[in-house]
Amino acid sequence: MNEDILQINSVKKSFVRNIIDVRGKEENERFFIIDDLDLQIPREKITALIGGNGAGKTTLFNIISGFMSPDSGDIIYQAENKQMSIIGLLPYKITRLGIGRMFQDDHIFHDMSVLDNMLLADADDFGEFPFISIIYNRKNKIIEQERIEKANSIFKELFGEDNPFWEKRDEPAKSLSYGQQRLLGLARLFMGNYDLVLLDEPTAGVNPQIINQILIIIRSMVEEKDVTVFLIEHNMKVVLDLADFCSFMSHGKITAFGTPDDVIGNDEVRRTYLGV
Amino acid sequence: MLLQLLVNGLIIGSIYSIVALGYALIYNTTHIFHIAYASIYMFSSYMLLSFYINLNIPFIISFIIAIGLTILLSVLIEILVYRPLNKKRSSLNVVLISSIGIMIVVINIIAMFYGNETQILNPNISKSISIGNIIITYSQLAQFIVSLVLIFIFLIFLKFTKFGIKTRAMRDDSILCKVFGMDINRMRLMLFMLSALFAAVGSGLVAFDVGMDPYVGMPMLLNAIVALIIGGVGRFEAPILGGFIIGILQSLTVWVFSSRWQDAVTFILLILFLLLRPQGLLGEKKRAV
Amino acid sequence: MNYIFHIIIIINIYIILTVSTNLLVGMANLISLAQAAFYGFGAYLGVLALMILKLPMIPTIFFVMFFTALLSLIIAFPSLRLKGDYFILATLGFQLIVFTVLYNWISVTRGPYGIPGIPAPKLIGIIPVSGIIPFLVLSSILAGFVIFIFYKLVHSPFGRVLKGLRDDEIAVKSLGRNVTNYKILTFAISSAFIGIAGFIYASYVTYIDPTSFNLDEAIFILAAVLIGGTGNIKGPVVGAIFVVILPELLRFVGFPSSIAANLRQIVYGLALIILMRYRPQGIAGEYKLQ
Ligand SMILES: Nc1ncnc2c1ncn2[C@@H]1O[C@H](COP(=O)(O)OP(=O)(O)OP(=O)(O)O)[C@@H](O)[C@H]1O
Ligand SMILES: [Mg+2]
């Protein structure tokens, strides 16, 4: 088996900007947000992706998870002795292949109950085809019960015996605090069977205590579940603490890759990104 | 025969163009799916009827009063219904349903007072001129000329006045406009006024030719929407092109099949465009940011 | 008494229409203006089954459900490729195309002349269901059945996916669910049950013509759902009762029928405007239209 779970090969992605100036003249301008980007993600390791605001990090995640298609280039995913290109696949197919994702702006189901948020994330979708749950009523009940148990045990494992998530399981997810919502977004990933998860700024905007919790959860993903983690992060302390490797994105390319210490110590990174 | 149909198509196309232009003024800038536009269109005909026939006021003056009242209705709709929803940041679907509600209310109020029957403005058979085999009535001629003049003035207006530039800017990004200190509410109000002007003129011209009933708005609105989609959402020249295309296509349908299939052909065209070229003939593939 | 029974039958028909439409509007967040087209499919297919194929009642119902669903997919597939406004516009376009075809394809549908003399459906092949009481029973059973089925669906894992869909479509995709498939299934199920309403209507009234299935009717069905409220079962049921009872009440109060017809429309219109402003979840619904 290849050591890299994901190989990103010369991916390009451009957007068109429509500019209208004061005199009312219009112009369209095409600019490359990702420009010939190459990157390998090592298996069962934590790789961080850093770069300035608007550098195109989230765009890269969108391309990996199928929400956007690149202009050109290829992405090879290596799962269980099977190697395949995931370009052109729909997002749900990519997820089914074992690539999970947590979004920068949450995307948990705010109006659904905390528990339903977990159940809907289950890898097994039995009963979700209409009428199946009515026809196989008994089997459906058993599976639903198992799902609930699974959610409960994930909550216990991640947040301890008496956790607020299980207590508030029937309340809408929007009743959780912001930090808790992020944690729910992470916990949800444990319901699926993922080999690779993409985390977009998991620690953004949450307090230090929850950051600690998040760090522990991410580590346990890798160490206990053998998951590979690829995360975007602006908090350098988190990167230094957590990541095995770090990549720096600028001008649409990966311009530095190595251990976090190396990359953060890199002259260019210090000058252009950290501003020191 | 064919030539006559094409000329008729061109004339009705010019009406579609200005009505579609009025719709585009709202849709391109506010993204409101302005179904109530159908009732605004219909309203103008009935106001004309009241002043011209019932009160016996000269046609031109009646027409101007009707246009004024139609503009007032449009302004009221914006102030009483759309603006509060916009302020609440209601979703566009909510606005759409409200718009359907307005349409139902206006149509039925008119129907209650004027009845459901067709009413006519001009009981005489319109005089006509003939060029070779082609016969054009004076009222058709008026439709064509007035529409063209209106389109022409509008295009100049859009290109060279400050309001026109603001309109185009708002089409591109209304949040940005706010940042640049444009008074969005005032802009919207002017757009609703201008849009009603187009509807009112088109409606009056058509009513003078063929009369009206309380339900004339919907078919006209649908043609306007199709014209907009075919031409291309976003550009203000587009609904003009789309309007003429539909007018001509519908006359060709009459020639090849029969007038009963006009609607089917129009909406099949709509579906084809939505699926194969959603940006329309003049639109660009992607209008980003 | 017969008058009240008649009202209840009509309410039952509208309950089937609104509860089924709610699956689209209130669960999958798909605003469809083609519901009257599906209703029409159901009615005309019912006529086909009863008059030409001479099927008994139960097979007729399955026939109608199956083929209404199938025809609805012709509309669903292209429309679902479009987002937001364009989706609504596409359903509107299809609604008008279906109406024009029903109206103008005279050799098959008899167009504006309509189809009179629709025979009573036969239970177990022999016992005809006709007259007001049998229809009261039949329509109540079918409406009850539809409510039961949709209740079950909403509270099943399938319903959970739909709730996810209306809450956050991107999240559903990212969890490995094929969103397009679910929307198509929703469309098919919703239309299949709307077909039942068409079938009851046709066999109860024994006469159909295309004007019962035009754009106004599509708007009316949508209005009924939104007035009652979306997202649960209670809302659409309340909506159906409201829109059917209101005109009767207006008549009862003593408005002349010529004005009452317009007046009730005005009430529906105002109800939509006011509800959208102050209560976008409708009278008894739980989902705020997005
Ligand atoms: N669909 C789109 N169309 C046009 N431009 C886009 C689109 N999506 C993103 N962009 C632009 O691409 C740029 C990069 O966006 P992206 O979200 O990838 O940045 P990022 O590196 O994740 O930034 P941040 O650290 O702030 O999250 C931004 O300037 C954004 O405006
Ligand atoms: Mg980002």
Side-chain angles (χ1 to χ4, degrees):
Chain A
M1 197 156 30
N2 194 313
E3 339 198 303
D4 297 327
I5 192 164
L6 205 66
Q7 295 170 31
I8 303 167
N9 298 331
S10 33
V11 163
K12 282 190 182 198
K13 175 77 190 172
S14 62
F15 292 124
V16 176
R17 238 191 315 237
N18 182 267
I19 299 166
I20 180 163
D21 71 16
V22 240
R23 281 161 312 160
K25 266 186 68 170
E26 291 176 42
E27 256 172 62
N28 284 323
E29 184 193 70
R30 179 171 289 279
F31 67 101
F32 280 87
I33 185 77
I34 296 178
D35 195 1
D36 241 338
L37 183 141
D38 292 294
L39 180 64
Q40 278 85 37
I41 313 294
R43 187 179 294 279
E44 286 164 38
K45 294 279 189 290
I46 300 175
T47 305
L49 177 64
I50 60 175
N53 287 112
K57 306 180 294 296
T58 301
T59 306
L60 182 62
F61 270 25
N62 280 335
I63 290 171
I64 298 174
S65 51
F67 284 94
M68 285 180 180
S69 49
D71 297 358
S72 63
D74 202 0
I75 297 181
I76 311 288
Y77 175 58
Q78 168 106 38
E80 294 155 17
N81 298 325
K82 216 169 83 190
Q83 180 169 318
M84 72 197 89
S85 166
I86 56 171
I87 296 295
L89 297 183
L90 288 171
Y92 87 94
K93 281 245 164 84
I94 293 176
T95 306
R96 291 275 169 90
L97 289 173
I99 303 182
R101 172 164 183 195
M102 179 179 171
F103 292 88
Q104 186 167 5
D105 36 6
D106 264 328
H107 286 294
I108 62 167
F109 303 104
H110 291 94
D111 291 327
M112 290 169 71
S113 72
V114 172
L115 186 59
D116 274 349
N117 264 276
M118 293 295 278
L119 303 185
L120 184 48
D122 194 14
D124 176 11
D125 62 359
F126 180 86
E128 290 178 3
F129 194 85
F131 301 115
I132 288 291
S133 61
I134 301 174
I135 298 166
Y136 299 98
N137 192 9
R138 266 174 58 86
K139 187 174 175 202
N140 181 56
K141 280 208 174 113
I142 295 169
I143 291 189
E144 279 288 283
Q145 200 50 47
E146 282 171 5
R147 277 187 191 127
I148 296 172
E149 297 292 318
K150 187 169 166 189
N152 187 10
S153 68
I154 290 170
F155 282 152
K156 273 190 191 154
E157 198 182 307
L158 300 182
F159 312 115
E161 278 296 329
D162 295 315
N163 59 73
F165 296 93
W166 184 248
E167 264 163 40
K168 288 189 163 187
R169 63 184 177 276
D170 290 326
E171 282 170 48
K174 66 184 169 205
S175 71
L176 298 173
S177 73
Y178 178 72
Q180 286 173 334
Q181 291 183 18
R182 302 240 81 181
L183 288 174
L184 179 62
L186 263 183
R188 173 166 91 173
L189 290 174
F190 285 79
M191 291 295 287
N193 294 326
Y194 298 118
D195 294 323
L196 168 65
V197 297
L198 311 173
L199 307 177
D200 199 341
E201 303 189 26
T203 65
V206 299
N207 66 42
Q209 191 206 334
I210 293 188
I211 291 187
N212 259 338
Q213 255 181 310
I214 291 175
L215 293 190
I216 294 168
I217 292 172
I218 295 176
R219 273 199 207 100
S220 79
M221 265 186 189
V222 181
E223 280 157 19
E224 285 157 35
K225 306 260 185 299
D226 296 337
V227 173
T228 307
V229 172
F230 185 27
L231 90 160
I232 297 174
E233 193 47 78
H234 279 297
N235 184 337
M236 287 310 122
K237 214 171 125 333
V238 172
V239 174
L240 286 168
D241 250 22
L242 190 65
D244 302 300
F245 298 100
C246 180
S247 46
F248 174 66
M249 183 168 180
S250 115
H251 301 291
K253 293 183 174 55
I254 300 296
T255 52
F257 184 89
T259 65
D261 286 319
D262 286 348
V263 172
I264 291 173
N266 177 307
D267 270 352
E268 188 211 334
V269 177
R270 294 178 73 86
R271 214 178 48 246
T272 60
Y273 174 54
L274 300 172
V276 288
Chain B
M1 179 65 179
L2 177 58
L3 212 55
Q4 175 75 55
L5 285 172
L6 283 178
V7 169
N8 290 350
L10 216 57
I11 291 168
I12 190 65
S14 69
I15 295 286
Y16 290 161
S17 292
I18 58 169
V19 177
L21 204 49
Y23 183 79
L25 275 172
I26 304 298
Y27 188 77
N28 284 350
T29 51
T30 65
H31 307 291
I32 294 174
F33 204 111
H34 188 26
I35 302 265
Y37 190 65
S39 59
I40 291 177
Y41 174 88
M42 177 274 301
F43 185 76
S44 167
S45 294
Y46 275 92
M47 290 306 105
L48 187 55
L49 179 78
S50 294
F51 289 94
Y52 179 55
I53 301 287
N54 301 355
L55 298 176
N56 230 335
I57 293 172
F59 183 78
I60 295 295
I61 299 176
S62 303
F63 203 3
I64 291 171
I65 298 174
I67 293 171
L69 289 174
T70 308
I71 290 175
L72 187 67
L73 174 68
S74 181
V75 165
L76 284 178
I77 290 174
E78 154 71 355
I79 291 179
L80 295 179
V81 183
Y82 292 155
R83 187 184 286 175
L85 289 176
N86 187 42
K87 207 163 144 200
K88 273 182 72 178
R89 301 186 177 284
S90 296
S91 74
L92 287 171
N93 283 342
V94 167
V95 182
L96 161 70
I97 302 297
S98 308
S99 192
I100 290 179
I102 300 168
M103 178 192 73
I104 295 174
V105 171
V106 176
I107 287 179
N108 283 286
I109 289 178
I110 292 291
M112 211 152 89
F113 285 103
Y114 294 84
N116 284 323
E117 321 67 54
T118 303
Q119 314 238 26
I120 48 171
L121 283 175
N122 178 16
N124 314 316
I125 293 173
S126 182
K127 290 203 192 92
S128 57
I129 47 171
S130 50
I131 310 162
N133 288 333
I134 302 164
I135 300 166
I136 302 173
T137 64
Y138 281 166
S139 54
Q140 279 185 315
L141 206 58
Q143 288 175 20
F144 193 62
I145 293 171
V146 174
S147 302
L148 283 197
V149 170
L150 209 56
I151 289 171
F152 189 68
I153 295 175
F154 174 74
L155 287 179
I156 291 179
F157 179 77
L158 192 68
K159 195 108 201 146
F160 297 108
T161 66
K162 224 166 139 190
F163 177 73
I165 292 166
K166 279 186 185 166
T167 305
R168 283 189 287 158
M170 194 162 153
R171 169 198 71 192
D172 288 332
D173 195 336
S174 66
I175 299 168
L176 216 61
C177 292
K178 219 174 223 160
V179 175
F180 287 145
M182 263 166 64
D183 182 346
I184 295 292
N185 278 342
R186 234 190 84 199
M187 259 316 275
R188 279 175 60 123
L189 212 54
M190 311 248 291
L191 288 168
F192 273 92
M193 293 168 77
L194 199 58
S195 141
L197 171 78
F198 282 105
V201 171
S203 165
L205 291 171
V206 172
F208 190 74
D209 195 14
V210 297
M212 71 202 82
D213 66 46
Y215 309 98
V216 290
M218 197 57 180
M220 185 51 94
L221 169 75
L222 294 171
N223 282 319
I225 294 178
V226 180
L228 176 66
I229 299 287
I230 291 178
V233 171
R235 303 189 57 151
F236 289 104
E237 306 88 339
I240 302 169
L241 177 69
F244 280 108
I245 290 177
I246 295 179
I248 289 170
L249 187 83
Q250 289 183 345
S251 358
L252 287 180
T253 311
V254 175
W255 196 57
V256 179
F257 307 103
S258 85
S259 63
R260 295 181 313 171
W261 293 102
Q262 276 184 357
D263 286 350
V265 170
T266 309
F267 293 110
I268 288 170
L269 192 70
L270 167 73
I271 303 283
L272 288 178
F273 263 88
L274 284 177
L275 292 175
L276 304 177
R277 203 175 158 83
Q279 75 272 30
L281 289 171
L282 297 182
E284 277 138 24
K285 186 118 192 149
K286 227 178 219 160
R287 227 170 38 80
V289 204
Chain C
M1 208 55 201
N2 275 1
Y3 167 73
I4 292 180
F5 290 159
H6 168 76
I7 301 291
I8 296 176
I9 293 171
I10 301 294
I11 289 180
N12 283 334
I13 292 174
Y14 272 91
I15 285 179
I16 298 176
L17 289 171
T18 53
V19 169
S20 316
T21 300
N22 173 53
L23 194 70
L24 280 180
V25 178
M27 297 304 295
N29 201 16
L30 294 168
I31 293 189
S32 157
L33 279 173
Q35 298 309 92
F38 306 142
Y39 186 31
F41 287 156
Y44 278 87
L45 285 166
V47 169
L48 173 67
L50 290 175
M51 289 179 83
I52 303 198
L53 307 176
K54 304 215 185 312
L55 295 179
M57 190 171 74
I58 307 278
T60 297
I61 292 177
F62 282 111
F63 175 87
V64 165
M65 287 177 75
F66 181 76
F67 284 99
T68 306
L70 210 60
L71 285 173
S72 82
L73 290 185
I74 300 176
I75 295 176
F77 270 112
S79 306
L80 283 173
R81 289 180 45 196
L82 304 163
K83 291 214 164 58
D85 286 357
Y86 288 150
F87 171 82
I88 299 172
L89 199 51
T91 59
L92 175 79
F94 278 116
Q95 168 67 46
L96 292 157
I97 292 171
V98 168
F99 175 77
T100 323
V101 171
L102 288 180
Y103 199 82
N104 290 319
W105 199 8
I106 292 172
S107 56
V108 174
T109 64
R110 290 179 44 88
Y113 311 112
I115 300 175
I118 298 166
K122 292 198 181 63
L123 196 60
I124 342 173
I126 33 175
I127 312 161
V129 179
S130 70
I132 197 138
I133 304 280
F135 263 101
L136 180 69
V137 175
L138 175 66
S139 65
S140 302
I141 290 174
L142 286 174
F145 171 69
V146 170
I147 290 176
F148 171 77
I149 290 283
F150 278 83
Y151 181 84
K152 278 288 186 192
L153 277 178
V154 168
H155 293 91
S156 73
F158 172 64
R160 188 163 60 217
V161 178
L162 295 188
K163 276 182 201 148
L165 216 57
R166 74 184 186 193
D167 202 342
D168 192 332
E169 196 173 318
I170 290 176
V172 177
K173 282 184 189 167
S174 90
L175 295 173
R177 267 67 177 172
N178 186 348
V179 167
T180 315
N181 268 359
Y182 281 107
K183 286 184 179 171
I184 286 172
L185 286 167
T186 310
F187 234 108
I189 294 169
S190 164
S191 320
F193 285 93
I194 284 185
I196 297 185
F199 156 73
I200 305 179
Y201 175 79
S203 52
Y204 173 59
V205 181
T206 71
Y207 168 84
I208 52 170
D209 73 57
T211 54
S212 306
F213 314 108
N214 59 12
L215 179 61
D216 288 343
E217 181 67 21
I219 291 177
F220 185 65
I221 295 170
L222 191 62
V225 177
L226 291 165
I227 289 173
T230 49
N232 54 11
I233 304 291
K234 206 167 58 186
V237 172
V238 169
I241 295 173
F242 179 85
V243 297
V244 178
I245 297 257
L246 180 76
E248 306 307 324
L249 283 183
L250 289 177
R251 265 225 309 254
F252 199 66
V253 173
F255 285 103
S257 66
S258 59
I259 292 190
N262 291 321
L263 206 58
R264 71 165 220 248
Q265 296 275 347
I266 292 173
V267 173
Y268 299 148
L270 284 176
L272 283 180
I273 298 171
I274 293 168
L275 284 170
M276 285 303 114
R277 173 102 151 252
Y278 299 105
R279 217 182 139 76
Q281 69 270 43
I283 297 171
E286 62 171 41
Y287 170 60
K288 291 193 177 125
L289 194 66
Q290 296 286 301

